[in-house]
Amino acid sequence: MKSYFGRRYTLSASHRLHVDALTVEENRAAYGKCNNPHGHGHNYVIEVVVTGEVDQDTGMVINLADLDEIVEERVLERFDHKNLNLDTAFTNRVPTTENFSRVVFGLLKDMLPKGELEHVRVEETENNFFECYGD
Ligand code: NI
């Protein structure tokens, strides 16, 4: 029987939504204020959900300390207080939060010592959230 374990992390980062292939007007039409040349910041809330069997001995799907270490190393150290546009993950893709959730999923999915990565949910604001379930 599968169980699910989820944990929340927070990080602050800036981004600018802009695609070089689009014109100035097209970028403004697509992204509005988010296309402002100086960028803007978000306090992202990242939820990581792991699924698997509950371990007979430990009673856990994954040890949260192990998950914390992986998320810290792979995601928080890389993106917290950074400009997402300058990260190599976004060299060829616009750092929308749709794409950010995909990047985070990709950085974590093969790194877990137990269980499987079920999904990553990224809250960008009180009202917006984005989820990636892999392929
Ligand atoms: Ni934004």
Side-chain angles (χ1 to χ4, degrees), residues 15-76:
H15 69 172
R16 179 195 183 202
L17 303 185
H18 179 89
V19 174
D20 288 338
L22 301 179
T23 65
V24 170
E25 293 73 24
E26 287 168 339
N27 270 293
R28 206 168 286 150
Y31 301 122
K33 289 192 297 193
C34 300
N35 183 241
N36 177 324
H38 301 294
H40 59 277
H42 292 287
N43 295 315
Y44 293 100
V45 177
I46 298 179
E47 289 183 6
V48 176
V49 178
V50 179
T51 184
E53 298 293 323
V54 173
D55 187 284
Q56 291 278 2
D57 299 323
T58 66
M60 297 189 285
V61 172
I62 185 173
N63 187 315
L64 71 84
D66 292 340
L67 185 63
D68 284 357
E69 197 178 310
I70 291 158
V71 173
E72 177 69 36
E73 277 179 22
R74 303 281 295 172
V75 177
L76 304 183

Side-chain angles (χ1 to χ4, degrees), residues 103-133:
V103 166
V104 171
F105 190 97
L107 288 170
L108 297 177
K109 77 174 158 78
D110 295 325
M111 305 305 293
L112 306 180
K114 296 272 290 179
E116 274 184 45
L117 185 57
E118 169 70 18
H119 76 273
V120 166
R121 168 186 161 115
V122 181
E123 289 180 16
E124 181 186 62
T125 69
E126 274 180 12
N127 299 319
N128 295 352
F129 63 88
F130 304 85
E131 296 183 306
C132 177
Y133 285 80

